[in-house]
Amino acid sequence: MLILAHLVTVSWEKENHGVNTRSNEGQKEDIELHLFDLATIVNATKDFTSYNKLGEGGFGPVYKVILHCSGTLEDGQEIAVKRLSKRSRQGSKEFKNEVALVAKLQHRNLVKLLGCCIQGEERILVYEFMPNRSLNSFIFDSTRHKLLNWPKRFHIINGVARGLVYLHQDSRLRIIHRDLKTSNVLLDSEMNPKISDFGLAKTFGGDQAEGSTNRVVGTYGYMAPEYAMDGQFSVKSDVFSFGILVLEIISGKKNTGFYHPIHDLNLIGQAWRLWKIGKPLELIDSFLQESCSPSEVVRCIHIALLCVQQRPEDRPSMSSVVLMLGGETALVKPKEPGFLINKKLETECSSTKIVPSSTNDVSISIVEGR
């Protein structure tokens, strides 16, 4: 199927990303990228039928397409077509946000945006195709989790950390992802991780590193306490999410829905309990025991617990995390994590806040951690 793309410069008003500053207001954002024709995308996806569908997130469905003629793009290249759902809470603002951000980002651990389609009411993003899909399709699957031994998981942890360092300090603007989770970490043919989905990201210029919002969006189980409860976000919000990600990669368990038959703790609580009694290796996915380096796993658990500490100022920066993962710095003693919840007490807690989830567009209650 023929898909034609031509290189254009797209201009639109640059959004003020919820930052208390006037520096971004009213500016034009010029972005050079490939503009794809809607009719040929519709034909290539067979009118967006489920046959070519890879999956669906808060933004909308994603389809796999093969380019047979694409102007300056490689002939025969596999691409991922992400179509904005008309029912999605992530509308044109998030679409423009993602295009404006990702078109300028170049890092081996960030998914590459190839172009977009803006025609009528359609909003479509065209990405490089990631043949192994998302991280959560492996670590939470009863069969496929065996394809990720410890060296591969440690490689993924390091790659995600380096991608966040780029976002937080090495790119032209400081970028806070705000929705880092296993389904937003994609894997290429060699299992290299790439952070995706920047629809909820926030940008800062200069020395600014934090902000606030009245519209708390993200995914339950990965949000930092200060963001979920008070709408305060910073680079340390992403650090908290990264800590959850590491605990999930090590354990093969989701933070949400984790159940311990005796202690009634969530995944963070279980990791903290095992750490305090000197048995952190009991957290590990049993499949990994033969392939792992115990000292490396314990170090990763230690780092994860530092990342999920209650107070943002206690959490390390991602550049420090990269050094820690490389064994280049000593590790301090972690303090009690945020959202350390005993499930028996969860329904008795009266301090709750309703926030929308980016995963399924429903309102959820988040219980404040001790």
Side-chain angles (χ1 to χ4, degrees), residues 245-294:
L245 193 78
V246 173
L247 293 177
E248 291 185 334
I249 290 173
I250 291 171
S251 67
K253 306 292 184 184
K254 294 183 180 181
N255 187 39
T256 54
F258 177 85
Y259 175 74
H260 191 286
I262 299 176
H263 302 289
D264 267 337
L265 295 168
N266 61 1
L267 183 59
I268 301 176
Q270 175 67 353
W272 180 243
R273 184 189 73 84
L274 292 173
W275 181 263
K276 288 195 299 180
I277 65 175
K279 298 181 179 180
L281 284 173
E282 289 188 10
L283 186 71
I284 193 172
D285 185 336
S286 59
F287 162 73
L288 299 176
Q289 291 177 356
E290 293 185 2
S291 65
C292 79
S293 163

Side-chain angles (χ1 to χ4, degrees), residues 77-206:
Q77 182 176 353
E78 293 179 318
I79 62 171
V81 172
K82 187 163 120 176
R83 184 189 191 193
L84 174 63
S85 170
K86 292 180 175 60
R87 301 187 303 275
S88 173
R89 295 190 182 200
Q90 299 180 42
S92 294
K93 178 180 178 180
E94 285 80 6
F95 177 86
K96 292 179 180 180
N97 190 37
E98 184 152 10
V99 172
L101 284 177
V102 185
K104 295 182 176 181
L105 300 178
Q106 297 292 329
H107 191 273
R108 62 177 298 182
N109 294 117
L110 302 180
V111 69
K112 184 178 181 181
L113 180 69
L114 302 177
C116 68
C117 175
I118 308 171
Q119 195 168 328
E121 296 183 354
E122 290 288 351
R123 299 290 182 269
I124 297 171
L125 294 169
V126 178
Y127 283 102
E128 61 177 325
F129 175 65
M130 303 294 283
N132 282 311
R133 304 192 184 184
S134 63
L135 177 59
N136 70 326
S137 68
F138 282 88
I139 62 173
F140 302 137
D141 186 272
S142 59
T143 301
R144 300 185 81 204
H145 78 114
K146 295 181 179 179
L147 298 175
L148 290 183
N149 58 18
W150 174 248
K152 290 179 180 177
R153 296 192 193 204
F154 187 60
H155 174 72
I156 290 169
I157 290 171
N158 276 277
V160 174
R162 287 191 295 268
L164 286 175
V165 170
Y166 174 80
L167 294 177
H168 291 176
Q169 68 181 50
D170 293 341
S171 61
R172 184 173 61 87
L173 291 172
R174 180 175 286 109
I175 299 170
I176 301 171
H177 189 279
R178 292 206 306 165
D179 201 20
L180 182 68
K181 54 186 176 180
T182 54
S183 60
N184 283 341
V185 175
L186 304 183
L187 303 172
D188 68 12
S189 59
E190 297 179 349
M191 292 296 185
N192 294 309
K194 299 196 179 188
I195 300 171
S196 69
D197 201 339
F198 289 81
L200 302 181
K202 295 288 184 179
T203 62
F204 297 103

Side-chain angles (χ1 to χ4, degrees), residues 157 160-161 164 180 238-246 307 318 321:
I157 290 171
V160 174
L164 286 175
L180 182 68
D238 281 351
V239 173
F240 186 93
S241 301
F242 175 78
I244 299 297
L245 193 78
V246 173
C307 290
M318 286 309 305
V321 167

Side-chain angles (χ1 to χ4, degrees), residues 6 56 62 97 138 148 196 233 279 298 302 308 320 322 360:
H6 53 283
E56 186 163 359
V62 181
N97 190 37
F138 282 88
L148 290 183
S196 69
F233 58 86
K279 298 181 179 180
V298 171
H302 192 162
V308 298
S320 295
V322 169
N360 51 18

Side-chain angles (χ1 to χ4, degrees), residues 11 55 58 85 115 174 188 192 198 204 209 220 232 314 362 366 370:
S11 296
S85 170
R174 180 175 286 109
D188 68 12
N192 294 309
F198 289 81
F204 297 103
Y220 177 52
Q232 301 293 322
D314 291 333
V362 298
I366 292 197
R370 295 199 300 267

